[in-house]
Structures are given as C-alpha cells and as structure tokens.
C-alpha cells in the first residue's frame, strides 16, 4: 500500500499543467467574472452614471408656511385681536349678560311676536333666499346683498328695553337693529364684514344671542399680496351661548370677516340681535356700497 502512495506522489510531481486556452481580446478573466455574477441593470440614460457618495442639502427657495392654529375666545372681558394699519381690532365678550330666566322668556316672546320673513338677495344677477329669517328696525332703510329692508320705526317694546341695556354696557347709542333667526343648524350666514358706508367709519356693533349656542367664526383679511387667499390667515372661534353679548369695535370690520356656518348637529332655534348706528348714505355712494369702494362694488350678506 505504501508503494502505491509513493508512486502516486512521484507521478503527480511529473504531471504537466493543463494548457491555457487563449481568450478573445477584451474578455474578462474567469476570476473576475465570478465577482460580478449579477451586474447592475442598465440605466435609462446613456453613458456611465455615478452615484454621489454624499448627500448635499439645498435650502428651499421658498420659506415653508404654516397655517396658524385657530384661537378660541370663551373668557369674559376685552380682547384685542389684532393691531394693524387700520387700527386695533377689539372684541368684548359678556357671557350671561342676561340672566337665564330673563333670557328664556325674552327668547320665547321675540320668537313668537317679531315679524320674521325670508329676505331675497342677489348675487351676480341671480336671486337667492337667505338661509335664515330676518326683520329690521330703524328710521333708515338698510341695503345689503343688493336688496333693501324698508325703514321701520315700530319697535317692539322688549327690543327697546334691550337696546337701553346694551347702550349702558357699551357706552354707545344705537338707532337701528337687524334681527336674525336661525331656525336650526342648517341656517347660516356667509363670510362678510359689516362695512357698508351707511354704518360709518369703525362702527361698533353689539350682538346679543338668545337660544341655542352657535359658533361665531372670524378670519383676518389677507394682505394685498395674497390676492384674496385666506389659507394662512388668523382665525378665531367664539361660542355664543344663550344670553351672551358680543361687542365688535375698532378696526374689526376693516380687518376681519365673520360668519355663522352651517352645523350638522341637532341645533335649536337661535335669535341674534345686532344693534348698530346707521347714517344717511354718503354722497356718491349707492345704497349698500362698502365704505371707500366704488358704487359698483358687490356686497355680501350682513349680520351675525
């Protein structure tokens, strides 16, 4: 056995290496082919593409804008909501202005006894019915949304009592009143400002709420460079409960819009009384025109 192993070792030492086959020009040697069994797929572009070893951060050309969080005002007192070229915009919130029992019977009386009707407005030449009921009191007519409510000096006695109470608290006198009845959560009023020329410059409007709670929303007017885009403006929510008085003063009607939006919850009726001071239309203004705008300016609804 040992002789056979010895002969095998001797024969192996004499064995000649296998002949090498000549490869065609440009061929990849076998030992290199084994390292690239799965080559990278061809790119859509032409030529060799290199992936950078490091990531380069480029500062955005436009600043990232954030929508301001909505504010909620529920605490009683005076609130300065903005300061601008037009002046200071102010709100005064007085929850419980009317005691509960007093507010209850006043609400029932006004709901049953005021001459509520549905006003027809006009938008771009087309008529539409307001999604709420209204009535007007004042020695002058009131025009908004291209339709006019006639002068009405027959004040309900309860409204005169409420006007006196509101005047004592606000330190203002009012000669007119727009009454709004929201029959349920589907009644509403769109975004607008109470800035008709007949209301004068920087009007103070007193808004008294009776009945079910509805949310009073405000949004800041965008600067001219925003071209009417309200995406990034400030917004405020004010829940108006039974017997609450809200005063809007200063530049609020210049710099802010407000609305009472539709709600898809079960909402009972709500009466809103907006006391205001009306003047004769300034010379050159068509009734219902905004202060400082051409007579052809289109108006939006008014009220709270």
């Amino acid at each position: 056995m040992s002789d056979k192993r010895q002969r095998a070792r001797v024969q192996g030492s004499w064995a000649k290496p296998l002949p090498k086959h000549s490869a065609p020009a440009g061929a990849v040697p076998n030992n290199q082919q084994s390292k690239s069994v799965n080559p990278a797929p061809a790119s859509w572009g032409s030529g060799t593409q290199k992936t950078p070893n490091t990531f380069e951060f480029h500062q955005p050309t436009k600043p990232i804008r954030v929508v301001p969080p909505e504010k909620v005002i529920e605490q009683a007192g005076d609130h300065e909501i903005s300061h601008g070229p037009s002046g200071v915009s102010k709100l005064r919130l007085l929850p419980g202005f009317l005691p509960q029992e007093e507010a209850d019977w006043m609400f029932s009386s006004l709901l049953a006894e005021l001459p509520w009707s549905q006003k027809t407005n006009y938008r771009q030449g087309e008529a539409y019915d307001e999604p709420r009921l209204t009535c007007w009191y004042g020695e002058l007519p009131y025009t908004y949304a291209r339709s006019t409510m006639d002068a009405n000096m027959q004040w309900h006695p309860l409204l005169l009592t409420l006007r006196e109470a509101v005047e004592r608290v606000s330190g203002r006198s009012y000669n007119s009143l727009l009454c709004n009845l929201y029959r349920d959560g589907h009644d509403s009023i769109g975004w607008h400002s109470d800035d008709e020329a007949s209301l004068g410059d920087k009007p103070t409007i007193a808004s008294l709420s009776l009945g079910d709670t509805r949310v009073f929303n405000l949004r800041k007017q965008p600067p001219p460079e925003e071209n009417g885009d309200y995406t990034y403006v400030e917004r405020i929510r004010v829940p108006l409960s039974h017997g609450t008085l809200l005063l809007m003063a200063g530049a609020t009607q210049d710099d802010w819009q407000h609305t009472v939006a539709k709600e898809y919850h079960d909402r009972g009726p709500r009466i809103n009384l907006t006391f205001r001071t009306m003047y004769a239309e300034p010379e050159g203004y068509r009734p219902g025109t905004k202060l400082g705008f051409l007579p052809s300016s289109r108006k939006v609804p008014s009220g709270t």
Side-chain angles (χ1 to χ4, degrees):
M1 181 65 66
S2 59
D3 295 340
K4 291 182 179 181
R5 286 197 296 269
Q6 184 178 4
R7 285 197 296 271
R9 285 196 296 270
V10 174
Q11 290 175 355
S13 65
W14 293 342
K16 296 182 180 180
L18 295 175
K20 295 183 179 179
H21 298 285
S22 59
V28 179
N30 292 337
N31 60 344
Q32 294 185 14
Q33 286 182 350
S34 60
K35 297 180 182 179
S36 57
V37 176
N38 297 318
S43 64
W44 290 103
S46 59
T48 304
Q49 297 187 0
K50 295 182 179 180
T51 302
N53 295 329
T54 59
F55 175 78
E56 295 182 5
F57 175 76
H58 298 280
Q59 188 71 23
T61 56
K62 294 184 178 180
I64 298 175
R65 303 183 67 182
V66 178
V67 176
E70 188 177 57
K71 299 178 182 178
V72 179
I73 295 179
E74 296 179 291
Q75 298 297 321
D78 295 328
H79 304 269
E80 294 186 356
I81 57 176
S82 68
H83 296 72
S86 301
V88 181
S89 298
K90 306 174 185 177
L91 300 178
R92 177 183 293 180
L93 183 64
L94 298 173
F97 173 72
L98 295 177
Q100 177 75 38
E101 293 184 1
E102 190 173 320
D104 288 346
W105 72 263
M106 286 184 175
F107 171 73
S108 299
S109 299
L110 296 176
L111 182 64
E113 298 171 13
L114 293 190
W116 301 107
S117 64
Q118 191 164 29
K119 184 172 178 282
T120 300
N121 293 336
Y122 297 89
R123 181 189 298 118
Q124 297 180 347
E126 295 186 4
Y128 67 95
D129 292 332
E130 282 187 330
R132 63 191 180 281
L133 305 183
T134 58
C135 57
W136 170 254
Y137 294 90
E139 59 187 16
L140 295 171
Y142 184 35
T143 299
Y144 67 89
R146 302 193 178 222
S147 65
T148 300
M149 307 179 79
D150 295 330
N152 178 16
M153 295 296 294
Q154 303 301 315
W155 286 70
H156 190 287
L158 183 52
L159 296 178
L160 292 174
T161 301
L162 289 172
R163 184 176 72 174
E164 292 175 1
V166 170
E167 287 178 341
R168 284 195 299 269
V169 169
S170 64
R172 301 274 181 168
S173 61
Y174 306 98
N175 62 7
S176 304
L177 170 63
L178 177 62
C179 308
N180 293 281
L181 171 57
Y182 299 85
R183 296 160 291 185
D184 53 35
H186 297 287
D187 276 0
S188 63
I189 188 169
W191 288 108
H192 70 284
S193 300
D194 295 331
D195 55 357
E196 293 87 1
S198 58
L199 290 171
D201 186 34
K202 308 277 188 302
T204 295
I205 296 177
S207 170
L208 178 60
S209 295
L210 297 167
D212 209 348
T213 299
R214 294 292 293 270
V215 175
F216 184 71
N217 297 283
L218 299 102
R219 67 181 182 183
K220 188 81 177 296
Q221 296 274 20
E225 59 268 21
E226 295 291 343
N227 297 315
D229 184 3
Y230 287 85
T231 303
Y232 300 101
V233 300
E234 299 174 58
R235 294 175 184 266
I236 299 174
R237 287 167 52 91
V238 187
L240 296 178
S241 58
H242 189 42
T244 295
L245 178 65
L246 175 69
L247 299 175
M248 295 181 285
T252 303
Q253 305 305 324
D254 295 322
D255 293 344
W256 294 78
Q257 289 186 331
H258 52 268
T259 183
V260 176
K262 294 181 184 294
E263 295 188 22
Y264 297 94
H265 308 285
D266 291 333
R267 294 296 184 197
R270 170 193 180 242
I271 292 175
N272 174 240
L273 307 176
T274 54
F275 295 92
R276 54 193 68 200
T277 302
M278 296 287 295
Y279 305 94
E281 297 289 345
E283 183 178 358
Y285 280 83
R286 179 174 53 81
T289 303
K290 291 185 178 183
L291 186 65
F293 282 68
L294 296 176
S296 59
S297 298
R298 182 172 63 85
K299 280 301 299 170
V300 291
S302 179
T304 56

